[in-house]
Structure formats: structure tokens, C-alpha cells
Amino acid sequence: MFRRVVRASKFRHVFGQALKNDQCYDDIRVSRVTWDSSFCAVNPKFVAIIIEASGGGAFLVLPLHKSGRIDKAYPTVCGHTGPVLDIDWCPHNDQVIASGSEDCTVMVWQIPENGLVTGLSEPVVVLEGHSKRVGIITWHPTARNVLLSAGCDNLVIIWNVGTGEAMIQLEDMHPDVIFSACWNRNGSLICTACKDKTIRVIDPRKEEIVGEKEKAHEGARPMRAIFLSDGNVFTTGFSRMSERQLALWNPQAMDEAISVHEMDTSNGVLLPFYDPDTSVVYLCGKGDSSIRYFEITDEAPFVHYLSTFTTKEPQRGMGYMPKRGLDVNKCEIARFYKLHERKCEPIIMTVPRKSDLFQDDLYPDTAGPDCAIEAEDWFEGRNGEPILISLKNGYVPGKNRDLKVVKKNILDNKLSKNAENTGTVNKSASSTPSIVSTAVSLSLLGGLCLGCMLETVTILLKVKNTLIGNDSSESK
């Protein structure tokens, strides 16, 4: 006699739609490197795709409007000497992108406003500090020019891109390869998933682990962990029987999961993409041909299955558009850029609504492109919440300022010390030229004529000779 009540949700009827062929990006040789990253990064101006490249690593950067067939001679970003493994757009500058590579370096690039005209091989800055390949790159969500990188040397480095310095190095925290790293909403904590099957929540500035869970997923395949806006951690992984799982954790009490769901027995790693405004998580499996989406709420079972979008072709990677790049007039709540073997296909997720008016409940204020704090403030201990913007009239991109790197000259101190040590030797060797230059500068400052200048030099030379004579008589 129990009547089943269907849970009310405005996202129950979200549906996905792949765009037509003329709006896809065709004839792209997507990278075949064996690394479980998304291979694609998107922002409101550009889509970047890691591609196959001979003699090094490269990725394409295409303006969003440049759909259709991409010429094989189209310029690429090609400064790495090894394959590119991960790329990420700066959230505070739509023309700045960072890349990590098998050549153990992180490079930060400035893309011209209208896209590439010629190949780009000179990065703004090269960040060197890893001893093995760099597979994870992620920008700080609220502080300008703060970048996290993680490599196969089990090391997490947090950089100040503005000075090109490695400010924080998290060593000896991960005994094995790091599979994923993610900032929380205000960038005060990071969570990592490691090959030792442990999820760690880390305070990077104190360099301490504030929460961890061993064997979060007992399977041997790679895990993923992301922060949600309420501070909880969402993970994907595999069970001991190789079933794909997703789980929700409270960082303050990680002994038991809030919720665990088992899905299927596919081999593909589940890449989670999270929308903090709607609390919807999209799961895209590498090698799958579907996108599953779940809503996360405060009601049990906390993670609610919504629906699945399925296509015929398996996905090699996936890009996820920030909220400010969506079309609010069409009630679009997410847009993905699905990578096939030879093309990139946009997929839009829409909530069906009859009204043409702006839907406030679908589009609460979202994180904008302005940074809350500077890098130096964050490293000194300050935190800043994301600066929110309204999408009511659509997002209008502002003018991006150029990324300027001011490297501290480590040679300055050495030079000054050397000058002090050799100062006495140099005094006698270079006294005559210095006297002449002193006289010239004094004469010019005083506005004296050439004859007066020569007279000044003669007087100074006589003084010098007298001093030398006194020194020699004393030594005798």
C-alpha cells in the first residue's frame, strides 16, 4: 500500500544534444598518449586540444567560432620536447594556459586575442622543479597566478607564476603516483587521489594532511577526487571486483563514506566534472560513449542519479565549459567538448523551459573572471572567496591584461658579495678611469666648460699621486 514518491528536481529532465557536424572541429589528430587526463580544456574564448606531434609535444588552440575542418598546417603551441599530458586555462585570464609534459616541465603560454597565426614555441615562463613527467596542472580558483602541478615523482609543487618560483613543495606525502589533485572552493585546501588507494585532504601552506582515507576504493585502477562547494569530497574509483564506484566523503570524518554507489564493470576511468551552482556532477568515462549526471543534495542517499546521455562513438577525452561561457537564453546548464579519434564534438545540456525569460533558479550568481586576492597575499595566509557575477544579461568578456613574469635575480646577491671581496684589488687597478669619470660627471652636473673640466682632472690626478706617494713612504 506504499506509494512511491518521485523526488522533485528541476534537473530531472535535463537532456543532452550533440551539435551538427558543421559546428564540430574536424580532422584533429587527438593525442594517443597513455595518461588518464581529459586532453581538452575550454573557456569562453578558446578550446585547447592535446594532439599527436612528432618530435615533441603540442596542443591546438582554436577560437570557439572556428568550427569545421581544421587545416593540418594550422599553427600549434609546440614548445615541449615531450608529449603534453595535461592543460588548463587560467580562470582569471582567458588568454593564458598552462601545460604539463613528459619533459618534466610546466609551461605557461599567452595566446593572442584572436588566436594563433603562427606556431607558438616561446612560453611566457618555464617552471622547472619536477624530476619526472608532469601529469596534473590546475590553477588556483581565487588567487592570481598561483598554479599547482603534480608529477610522477610523487611531488606536488605550488608555483607563483608571476615570479616563476616554486613556493611550496609537498614532499613525502604521497608514496606513489598521484592520480588527481583539486582545490576547494576558496583555494585553502587541496584533495589528492594516489595510487596507494588513499584520498588525502591537505593544507598546502601549513604542509600538513588534515584528513585522509586509506582504501577509499579498493580496486587497483586510477581514482579521482574533487571538492564540492560545501566542503565535502566526491570520489570515483573501482571496487575490488573491478566495478566502477562513486563515493561522497566528509573531510572531518573520513572513516566512513557518506554515500557509496556501484555503477558498472567498465574499465574506463570516470572523469568527474562539477557545477557548484547547481550541485550537479557529470561523469564521463574514458572509452565510454555516455555521460552520466547526478545531483548532490542534503537528503539521503545524497547522490541522486538524474539521467544518462549516450552517443555511438566512444570518447577519448572531454572538455568542460565554465558557467560564464554558456548560452543562458537557451537554458543551457552545461557544455562539453567530446574528443573522438579525429574530431571534437560539442554537446550541450539543456533544461526544458517554456518561458523565454531569464531563469534565476538555473543561473545563480557564478564565479567570474576577477581574482579575489593576489598570489603574495595567498602565500602569506589570506583566503578569498570567488568574486561572483550575474549571468542575467549574458557574460561579456572584458579586456585581459598580459601575463607579466618578473623573475627575481638570484645573481644580485652573489655579484654584490664578489664586489666586496675584490673591491680593494680593483681600487688601484681602476682608479685613473674612475677619477676621470668623476671629474666629467662633476663638471657636467655643474655645467662647467671643457677647460674647467680638464683643470678638474689635473687637480684630481695630483691629489691621487700625492696619496700614492704617502702610501709608499709609509710602507718603506
Side-chain angles (χ1 to χ4, degrees), residues 236-470:
T236 64
F238 292 80
S239 70
R240 191 180 296 169
M241 304 301 292
S242 294
E243 291 178 307
R244 293 199 289 194
Q245 292 180 322
L246 54 91
L248 191 62
W249 307 86
N250 179 356
Q252 276 78 44
M254 295 190 79
D255 298 334
E256 284 294 324
I258 298 172
S259 174
V260 179
H261 294 258
E262 293 188 344
M263 295 172 59
D264 55 22
T265 52
S266 177
N267 288 328
V269 176
L270 286 169
L271 305 177
F273 297 95
Y274 175 60
D275 179 3
D277 303 328
T278 57
S279 293
V280 175
V281 172
Y282 303 86
L283 299 182
C284 309
K286 288 203 95 174
D288 289 8
S289 53
S290 62
I291 301 174
R292 295 178 177 86
Y293 31 108
F294 299 79
E295 186 177 4
I296 298 175
T297 67
D298 298 330
E299 310 166 8
F302 306 105
V303 181
H304 307 273
Y305 171 75
L306 290 173
S307 187
T308 302
F309 169 75
T310 307
T311 54
K312 294 177 183 177
E313 296 291 323
Q315 54 226 18
R316 302 272 305 269
M318 193 71 75
Y320 180 63
M321 174 69 80
K323 205 68 176 282
R324 56 196 171 90
L326 303 180
D327 188 347
V328 297
N329 298 318
K330 295 180 180 176
C331 294
E332 182 183 357
I333 63 162
R335 189 189 309 162
F336 293 93
Y337 286 74
K338 175 181 172 179
L339 299 185
H340 299 245
E341 197 169 340
R342 299 283 296 187
K343 80 171 181 179
C344 175
E345 175 185 44
I347 296 167
I348 59 172
M349 299 285 179
T350 309
V351 177
R353 292 281 170 97
K354 291 180 180 177
S355 171
D356 291 334
L357 299 175
F358 178 74
Q359 307 294 317
D360 300 80
D361 58 330
L362 297 183
Y363 302 104
D365 289 355
T366 191
D370 294 328
C371 63
I373 54 174
E374 297 294 329
E376 292 75 16
D377 299 329
W378 185 81
F379 286 113
E380 286 170 6
R382 280 184 57 199
N383 293 320
E385 295 297 324
I387 296 175
L388 305 180
I389 59 170
S390 171
L391 297 176
K392 187 161 188 176
N393 299 314
Y395 170 66
V396 179
K399 179 76 174 169
N400 288 309
R401 68 181 192 180
D402 289 347
L403 172 63
K404 290 181 181 176
V405 178
V406 182
K407 289 199 174 183
K408 291 181 180 176
N409 189 353
I410 58 170
L411 295 174
D412 281 349
N413 296 332
K414 293 178 184 176
L415 287 172
S416 59
K417 284 176 184 174
N418 290 341
E420 284 172 14
N421 295 337
T422 59
T424 52
V425 179
N426 291 340
K427 272 179 191 174
S428 57
S430 61
S431 55
T432 307
S434 64
I435 284 170
V436 174
S437 62
T438 306
V440 171
S441 58
L442 284 169
S443 305
L444 289 173
L445 283 169
L448 302 178
C449 63
L450 185 59
C452 298
M453 193 192 301
L454 290 172
E455 208 171 305
T456 308
V457 172
T458 310
I459 292 165
L460 287 171
L461 283 172
K462 282 178 183 177
V463 172
K464 175 208 159 192
N465 291 333
T466 308
L467 290 171
I468 290 171
N470 292 341

Side-chain angles (χ1 to χ4, degrees), residues 18 27 61 82 100 111 160 209 218 230 233 235 276 282 291 313 326 385 416 422 457:
D27 209 12
V61 176
I111 307 299
N160 182 347
I209 297 171
E218 296 191 356
D230 60 2
V233 174
T235 62
Y282 303 86
I291 301 174
E313 296 291 323
L326 303 180
E385 295 297 324
S416 59
T422 59
V457 172

Side-chain angles (χ1 to χ4, degrees), residues 125 157 262:
V125 63
I157 300 179
E262 293 188 344

Side-chain angles (χ1 to χ4, degrees), residues 43-338:
N43 69 18
K45 279 189 176 181
F46 300 105
V47 53
I49 303 163
I50 302 174
I51 59 170
E52 282 286 294
S54 55
F59 57 94
L60 273 175
V61 176
L62 303 169
L64 290 183
H65 60 79
K66 189 174 174 54
S67 52
R69 185 178 173 277
I70 306 301
D71 197 310
K72 287 183 180 178
Y74 193 87
T76 61
V77 181
C78 53
H80 286 286
T81 57
V84 177
L85 301 179
D86 197 17
I87 50 178
D88 192 30
W89 286 105
C90 176
H92 309 123
N93 189 331
D94 288 340
Q95 290 166 228
V96 172
I97 186 168
S99 58
S101 165
E102 274 192 15
D103 64 10
C104 309
T105 65
V106 177
M107 294 186 181
V108 180
W109 312 83
Q110 177 104 26
I111 307 299
E113 190 167 354
N114 298 316
L116 296 176
V117 180
T118 58
L120 187 59
S121 59
E122 289 295 322
V124 179
V125 63
V126 180
L127 306 174
E128 296 176 307
H130 288 281
S131 58
K132 291 186 180 177
R133 62 182 182 169
V134 183
I136 299 167
I137 296 288
T138 177
W139 290 91
H140 193 285
T142 61
R144 191 196 309 278
N145 292 343
V146 176
L147 178 67
L148 178 149
S149 66
C152 292
D153 51 5
N154 314 337
L155 177 66
V156 175
I157 300 179
I158 300 177
W159 308 85
N160 182 347
V161 176
T163 61
E165 290 178 291
M167 304 296 288
I168 298 171
Q169 298 196 28
L170 303 178
E171 300 177 277
D172 306 324
M173 286 189 180
H174 302 88
D176 216 324
V177 176
I178 302 164
F179 287 141
S180 77
C182 177
W183 298 95
N184 67 347
R185 179 86 163 150
N186 68 358
S188 59
L189 300 172
I190 59 172
C191 68
T192 62
C194 181
K195 195 175 180 180
D196 68 351
K197 303 178 186 176
T198 302
I199 303 294
R200 293 174 177 84
V201 177
I202 301 168
D203 186 328
R205 289 170 294 191
K206 292 181 181 175
E207 299 187 20
E208 64 182 29
I209 297 171
V210 297
E212 65 181 332
K213 172 62 179 174
E214 296 179 3
K215 294 188 176 178
H217 297 280
E218 296 191 356
R221 299 276 297 144
M223 298 188 298
R224 286 286 185 279
I226 59 170
F227 265 113
L228 305 182
S229 57
D230 60 2
N232 288 338
V233 174
F234 181 89
T235 62
T236 64
F238 292 80
S239 70
R240 191 180 296 169
M241 304 301 292
S242 294
E243 291 178 307
R244 293 199 289 194
Q245 292 180 322
L246 54 91
L248 191 62
W249 307 86
N250 179 356
Q252 276 78 44
M254 295 190 79
D255 298 334
E256 284 294 324
I258 298 172
S259 174
V260 179
H261 294 258
E262 293 188 344
M263 295 172 59
D264 55 22
T265 52
S266 177
N267 288 328
V269 176
L270 286 169
L271 305 177
F273 297 95
Y274 175 60
D275 179 3
D277 303 328
T278 57
S279 293
V280 175
V281 172
Y282 303 86
L283 299 182
C284 309
K286 288 203 95 174
D288 289 8
S289 53
S290 62
I291 301 174
R292 295 178 177 86
Y293 31 108
F294 299 79
E295 186 177 4
I296 298 175
T297 67
D298 298 330
E299 310 166 8
F302 306 105
V303 181
H304 307 273
Y305 171 75
L306 290 173
S307 187
T308 302
F309 169 75
T310 307
T311 54
K312 294 177 183 177
E313 296 291 323
Q315 54 226 18
R316 302 272 305 269
M318 193 71 75
Y320 180 63
M321 174 69 80
K323 205 68 176 282
R324 56 196 171 90
L326 303 180
D327 188 347
V328 297
N329 298 318
K330 295 180 180 176
C331 294
E332 182 183 357
I333 63 162
R335 189 189 309 162
F336 293 93
Y337 286 74
K338 175 181 172 179

